[in-house]
Amino acid sequence: LAKTTQPISMDSYEGQEVNITCSHNNIATNDYITWYQQFPSQGPRFIIQGYKTKVTNEVASLFIPADRKSSTLSLPRVSLSDTAVYYCLVGDEDDYKLSFGAGTTVTVRA
Amino acid sequence: KAGVTQTPRYLIKTRGQQVTLSCSPISGHRSVSWYQQTPGQGLQFLFEYFSETQRNKGNFPGRFSGRQFSNSRSEMNVSTLELGDSALYLCASSSGLERYEQYFGPGTRLTVT
């Protein structure tokens, strides 16, 4: 599995856009990029997944440059309830396990 | 559609005892995975079952075992509990077609004293 590197923590304010960049220099051709969100004392929640370019859903956008060595999760207009740990995962669809790193703790302040 | 359910939600056991945790996946999901989460080690993969067969296993000792039933419900067993087994145990289910999109339950908080 490709190793990922993401910031340990980020602070933001309500209404701002939060961008979390994940580095995955050793990403393989068949690897997908997936992001999960976890609130305290809850299980992680799938946010978004992509392979290349840009993916958008009702929660977030995922930007992936052409070389795919990094990706950026964008959370538009965050609210206090977006305070959570965000995990970036990289792996092949044939992988049957998720490998979570330390994640990025995002704190949204009023 | 009901989400992933785990029972019990909280459990206190004594060192040396054994424990069984239960997970009911989302209806129609055939894959169930188990994870251990601790402050020190983070989220770690234990094992994954698909159609009653263990498909993948993480790096945990043999004291950790699991099984899956024909209705896709899964159980995880930990024998000879150690203090270090205190953790949040999470179960996740998926259709098995998109393995990276997994749906997690609320977890079972196990405390070993």
Side-chain angles (χ1 to χ4, degrees), chain B residues 45-105:
Chain B
F45 172 80
L46 280 156
F47 30 66
E48 186 245 0
Y49 286 86
F50 181 81
S51 293
E52 302 179 66
T53 301
Q54 187 180 86
R55 268 199 312 200
N56 210 340
K57 190 176 189 301
N59 297 321
F60 278 81
R63 298 186 298 107
F64 293 82
S65 63
R67 60 177 175 169
Q68 186 180 33
F69 302 95
S70 58
N71 60 359
S72 293
R73 190 178 69 85
S74 177
E75 287 182 348
M76 190 192 90
N77 185 275
V78 187
S79 63
T80 319
L81 284 166
E82 301 176 359
L83 296 179
D85 297 332
S86 294
L88 180 67
Y89 289 89
L90 293 158
C91 163
S93 78
S94 71
S95 65
L97 300 177
E98 293 184 34
R99 299 177 185 94
Y100 260 63
E101 186 172 351
Q102 297 189 7
Y103 296 84
F104 284 78

Side-chain angles (χ1 to χ4, degrees), chain A:
Chain A
L1 294 171
K3 179 179 171 58
T4 61
T5 303
Q6 51 183 124
I8 295 297
S9 64
M10 296 181 71
D11 288 343
S12 183
Y13 290 91
E14 282 189 296
Q16 289 188 334
E17 178 181 79
V18 172
N19 295 307
I20 309 170
T21 296
C22 178
S23 298
H24 28 80
N25 292 320
N26 297 323
I27 190 169
T29 304
N30 294 333
D31 285 347
Y32 283 75
I33 300 156
T34 311
W35 286 81
Y36 276 79
Q37 173 194 56
Q38 186 178 26
F39 298 112
S41 298
Q42 293 186 27
R45 181 175 77 108
F46 172 90
I47 301 176
I48 197 166
Q49 182 181 76
Y51 183 79
K52 62 180 179 180
T53 63
K54 176 183 174 182
V55 180
T56 298
N57 61 22
E58 65 279 3
V59 177
S61 294
L62 178 59
F63 299 91
I64 306 169
D67 65 7
R68 302 201 328 123
K69 293 185 182 301
S70 68
S71 59
T72 299
L73 175 73
S74 180
L75 305 171
R77 298 179 298 282
V78 294
S79 63
L80 297 176
S81 62
D82 291 316
T83 294
V85 179
Y86 293 82
Y87 297 95
C88 167
L89 290 81
V90 172
D92 192 312
E93 272 294 295
D94 287 334
D95 289 330
Y96 299 101
K97 60 182 181 183
L98 301 181
S99 292
F100 290 84
T104 297
T105 298
V106 172
T107 303
V108 180
R109 306 180 192 281

